[in-house]
Structures are given as C-alpha cells and as structure tokens.
Amino acid sequence: MMSMRNTLVLSLCMALGAVTASAAPPGQQAAKILKAADVAGGLVVHLNCGDGKLTATLRAGDSFLVHGLDTDAANVTKARKHIAALGLYGKVSVARFGGKNLPYADNLVQLVVAENIGKVSMAEITRVLSPRGVAYLKQDGKWTKTLKPWPKDI
C-alpha cells in the first residue's frame, strides 16, 4: 500500500506533468499568434521576452524582423544565447529596456506580442504601432487582438 506521502508526491508530479504537457511549444504558440494577428511581415516586438524561445519562433520568414525586449539582464543574456545557437541573431535580436518606454519611432512596429506588458501603457504600444499594426496581448489569461486604425487624414 502506498503511503500518504508517496500518494501526495505522485499526485503532485502528475499535476505538474499535466501543466507542462498542456503548454504548447514555442513554435506552436508563435504560429497561433501570427495566424491570429494576421500580419505578413514587418517589425515584430516581443515584450518581456524571457528566455527568447518564443521570440525566435516569431520570425516566420524573411519578411519578419523580430526584436525582443526584457527588463531583466539575465533574461536578455539567455535569450541572446538561444537565438545565436539557432543562427538567427541579427534577424532576431534582444535588448534590455527600462520597462516603460518602447525604443521605437512612432508608427514603426507591425506587431507587438506580450504575455505581460508590465509597466508599458497601451498608449505607448499604440504609439509605436504602424497604421493597421496589431497588439496581440495576453490579458486575464486570454489573448486579445487590438488593431490600430488607419488615420483619417491619410
């Protein structure tokens, strides 16, 4: 008969396995994001990119240039190593940022992806998006798509 402790450990391991198994690999996540965002290329920004695995897979082809941003220097280092190991550095890059202001000119970015926008405001994200650019953000556990409208004066 299994002891109470062994039963608890087994249950915990099974639960952790289920959580791990349900998380889609970065390539599948990127494919879903790019399909939902419906962008054909351009500058893709991945906010709070962590280890860079999803960042690297957001480069779906030659028409994409991907830039990951993170406030944590250790994450930037991990992400750069991962991207370099794939031979993608240059086409995909990562930089550290202050966490509030995005380092881009107005209307430059085609897609902003973030599971957590941190201290970056929606106004700041909208500022850097090009007309018809997309913010694809995870909010309250659900991904949402926001399309920047085409200006009436253009």
Side-chain angles (χ1 to χ4, degrees):
M1 188 183 314
M2 221 186 294
S3 73
M4 180 69 105
R5 180 172 183 247
N6 287 345
T7 303
L8 182 61
V9 170
L10 180 60
S11 296
L12 182 59
C13 289
M14 288 172 67
L16 287 174
V19 169
T20 303
S22 68
Q28 287 180 359
Q29 289 177 15
K32 287 179 183 179
I33 289 167
L34 294 170
K35 182 178 180 181
D38 193 27
V39 295
L43 179 58
V44 176
V45 174
H46 184 200
L47 288 180
N48 299 310
C49 65
D51 62 12
K53 291 180 180 175
L54 177 59
T55 312
T57 59
L58 286 169
R59 184 175 187 275
D62 289 339
S63 62
F64 290 85
L65 182 65
V66 181
H67 194 220
L69 295 173
D70 206 292
T71 58
D72 185 324
N75 282 344
V76 171
T77 300
K78 278 188 239 176
R80 285 178 176 169
K81 284 180 182 176
H82 175 72
I83 293 163
L86 297 174
L88 292 175
Y89 213 85
K91 299 165 187 162
V92 179
S93 61
V94 177
R96 189 170 180 199
F97 83 121
K100 192 172 179 181
N101 298 317
L102 299 174
Y104 310 106
D106 296 356
N107 303 308
L108 179 68
V109 178
Q110 187 61 33
L111 173 62
V112 174
V113 175
E115 289 186 65
N116 173 12
I117 64 172
K119 295 180 181 179
V120 179
S121 69
M122 271 310 292
E124 179 67 357
I125 291 170
T126 302
R127 178 190 68 78
V128 302
L129 284 175
S130 62
R132 296 195 182 131
V134 175
Y136 199 71
L137 312 172
K138 194 170 193 179
Q139 299 172 326
D140 300 322
K142 183 179 176 185
W143 286 97
T144 61
K145 175 182 174 179
T146 303
L147 181 70
K148 184 174 178 178
W150 191 264
K152 294 180 196 256
D153 60 342
I154 294 181

